[in-house]
Each structure stands twice: as C-alpha cells, then as structure tokens.
Amino acid sequence: MTFTYEALPMRVTFGPGRFAQLPQEAEQLGLRRLMVLSTPDQRALAEQAAALLGDTCAGVFTEARMHVPVEVADAARAAARDTGADGCVAIGGGSTVGLSKAIALTTGLPVICVPTTYAGSEMTPVWGLTEHGRKRTGRDRTVLPRSVLYDPELTLHLPVYMSVTSGFNAIAHAVEALYAPDASPIVSLMAEEGVRSLATALPVIATNPQNTEARTDALRGAWLCGACLGATTMSLHHKLCHILGGTFDLPHAPTHTVLLPYVTAFNLPGAPGADRALRRALATDDVPRYLARAAVELGTQPSLAELGLTRHDIDEITAQALAQPYANPRPVTEAALRSLLTDALNGDLAL
Ligand code: NAD
C-alpha cells in the first residue's frame, strides 16, 4: 500500500445548540467586524446571527444564489469592503458557503461557516463562480473556512426532499473518495462511517424531520463526507453531475441522487475495496440497487428523465465527459457512458 495524506487546517465545533457559540468562535479567531451571509430564504437565521454577534456584526448580505453568479460575488465583495468587514459568517447550504469562498478568494477574508444542509462545501478548498452561464471551479487554500460550527438544530426545518437529496449528495462524495486516485486509509474510514451515518439517519428524517438524534447523525455523516471531498480528487460521478448541472441546468442535489446508483454499477466492479466498504456501510450485497431503491422510497425522482433530461442530450454529455481525461477506477469508453446514461435516463435500477 502507498498513499499520501495531507490534513487540511480546520477547526470544527459540533453539537446541538452550538450556533449560540458564534460570538466566542469569532473571538477565538480575533475577528471583530463580521459580515453575515445567507440566501434570501434564510434571512431570519442571518438576522439571528447578527443579533448574537451584536457590535461585532458589520452587516448582513442575504443575496446568496445557487452556483455563485459573478455579479452576486462582486456585490458581496463590495459590501464587505464598504462595511470594513474583517471576516464573514456563511450561514446556509453550499450556495452561501460558495459565496463566502468567492469573497475569500479575492480579499483573503477569513470565513466561519454554519452549514444547514449536507452538501459539504464547508470542508473543501474548492471554489466556483458562474459567468455567462458557465461555472469555473478551482482549488485554493485561501477559501478554506477557518472554522465550522455544525449545529443539528439548524437542520430541523430542512424540508424532507432537500434533506434526502442533500444526504445523497454527501454520500456521493464518500463513494468517490473510496476509489479516488489519492484515497488513503483515514479518508476511507471517514467515507465508510459517513455513508453509514447518513444511510441510517435519512429514513428516520423522512418520517420524522424533527428527530434531533437522526439530524445529528446525518450532519455528522455530512461532515465526514465533506471531509472526504476536501481530501481527494473526484471521478466520473462528479464529472457527469457538473455537466448535467452546468450545461443542462439540472438541480444539483437531485441529480447526484439519481445518477449515483448508475455510476456505482459501472465503477464498483473496478474498485473492490470501495465495494466492500459500501456493502458494510449499507448492509447490502447490491450497492447500486440499494442506493436507487432507498432514494426512491424516500421520495426522490427515479430517473434523469424526470429531472428533465432527454435522450437527445446523451450525445452532448458523452462528448463533454470524454473531452477531458480524469482518473476513474474503470476506463470510461463511449459505449459504457452511453449505456450508463441511458439506464439513468430510464431509471432502470429503481424499478
Ligand atoms: P443551497 O445552498 O442552494 O440551498 C438550497 C435552498 O435551501 C436555499 O434556498 C437555502 O436557503 C435553503 N436552505 C438551506 N438550508 C436550509 C435549512 N436548514 N432549512 C430550510 N431551508 C434551507 O443547496 P446545497 O445543495 O446545499 O448547495 C448546492 C451548491 O453548493 C451548488 O452550487 C454546488 O455546486 C455547491 N457545492 C460546492 C461544493 C464545494 O466543495 N465547492 C461542495 C458541495 C456543493
């Protein structure tokens, strides 16, 4: 066995009620003028954060949007400059965390994240910006949050459909980390436990969204899966989701949810160690079928067709996916890709 593992410098505080510790967290980092970020939907939570921070709140910016449009990033950077902010607090899902990273990328302002979905962006040095309909992404340690406060109580009102799809988004990070070219024993442990936590918690959340114990397990799983995403290089699944979101405007988390069983059906025969870990974590002998059926039973769409994709789109997706080589446990041929996408379009594994 050979591997390289580089730990990312990050402080994580976890537990029900931790949100109230935001002022102490700011103090610990020596920050005195924080700008609070959120989406318009989560303005009330952003205002709660501002109230907690009191005099150390420099302002509230509630215009975060999916995929970080450049004009929103510019407006947020201007607001940070005009208010004299010395750091940001990002409260929300991947969209708000993404906005804080866009600010950090050009200003170097430190970020405290308070995640409220399971997307995992808060654990990664990956940023993204969208301009003229195209999303650019990159890796830069500057955008890595300094501190992450995970409070399961903030996820109690995440709607069930978003909880389930966001949970599968997290599971997808762990799955691809298990067979990543830069996988390592510590990442594999985090991945297996992250998948186990989420797979156990999501069915409970689907019937009782206010169950704090299940919400705690799910958020703990999301943290572990996010850490896997931050530590490794993703393969075919994330590549295809990027194309489906970027070119075909398919919704981020639901696309991950529908596609994951089909990518695992293709990849796991070439990644026996990952297959064994996932069988253990999910207590099943058939990982792809388990993922497909569990997602549909929890109320998600069974096929890419139901997310709006058509048969004619397969040519373009195949061409884009084959245009740039990337690491994958099995070689990706045109025939294999067409077959995978056709199966996912029809939802064959969910039948
Ligand atoms: P999101 O952040 O867009 O949130 C979706 C909606 O849910 C928003 O309106 C938000 O306000 C609302 N919401 C969030 N938490 C809530 C809660 N607890 N209760 C009620 N409503 C809540 O969705 P997301 O799936 O978390 O993030 C998707 C984005 O993150 C995509 O742009 C994706 O590319 C990016 N992402 C980036 C990385 C990375 O490492 N850079 C990793 C994962 C995702």
Side-chain angles (χ1 to χ4, degrees), residues 178-326:
L178 283 165
Y179 55 59
D182 39 10
S184 64
I186 191 168
V187 168
S188 297
L189 285 171
M190 292 194 293
E192 187 175 333
E193 183 55 20
V195 172
R196 185 178 290 115
S197 275
L198 278 157
T200 311
L202 292 177
V204 182
I205 289 170
T207 49
N208 183 4
Q210 310 269 318
N211 183 314
T212 305
E213 200 180 323
R215 288 294 190 180
T216 302
D217 283 347
L219 197 60
R220 175 173 156 280
W223 163 55
L224 291 167
C225 294
C228 293
L229 177 68
T232 56
T233 309
M234 296 287 106
S235 299
L236 178 63
H237 175 77
H238 282 72
K239 176 86 183 171
L240 289 176
C241 288
H242 190 83
I243 297 168
L244 290 167
T247 305
F248 298 92
D249 209 22
L250 261 54
H252 180 79
T255 303
H256 273 271
T257 308
V258 173
L259 195 62
L260 186 63
Y262 301 91
V263 178
T264 54
F266 176 68
N267 271 346
L268 292 182
D275 192 28
R276 279 194 298 277
L278 291 169
R279 284 172 188 233
R280 282 193 301 268
L282 299 170
T284 178
D285 288 336
D286 186 344
V287 172
R289 200 167 285 277
Y290 176 96
L291 290 171
R293 293 201 171 151
V296 169
E297 274 168 25
L298 297 176
T300 67
Q301 292 89 343
S303 66
L304 290 181
E306 291 216 17
L307 294 182
L309 204 76
T310 71
R311 188 164 303 281
H312 307 293
D313 299 328
I314 290 180
D315 288 344
E316 174 65 22
I317 304 166
T318 307
Q320 283 196 34
L322 292 174
Q324 285 169 359
Y326 47 90

Side-chain angles (χ1 to χ4, degrees), residues 39 41-42 67 93-95 116-117 119 121 124 126 135 154 162 252:
T39 60
D41 287 350
Q42 289 184 292
H67 302 316
S95 298
T116 63
T117 71
S121 176
T124 84
V126 179
K135 187 169 180 179
L154 301 185
M162 282 174 55
H252 180 79

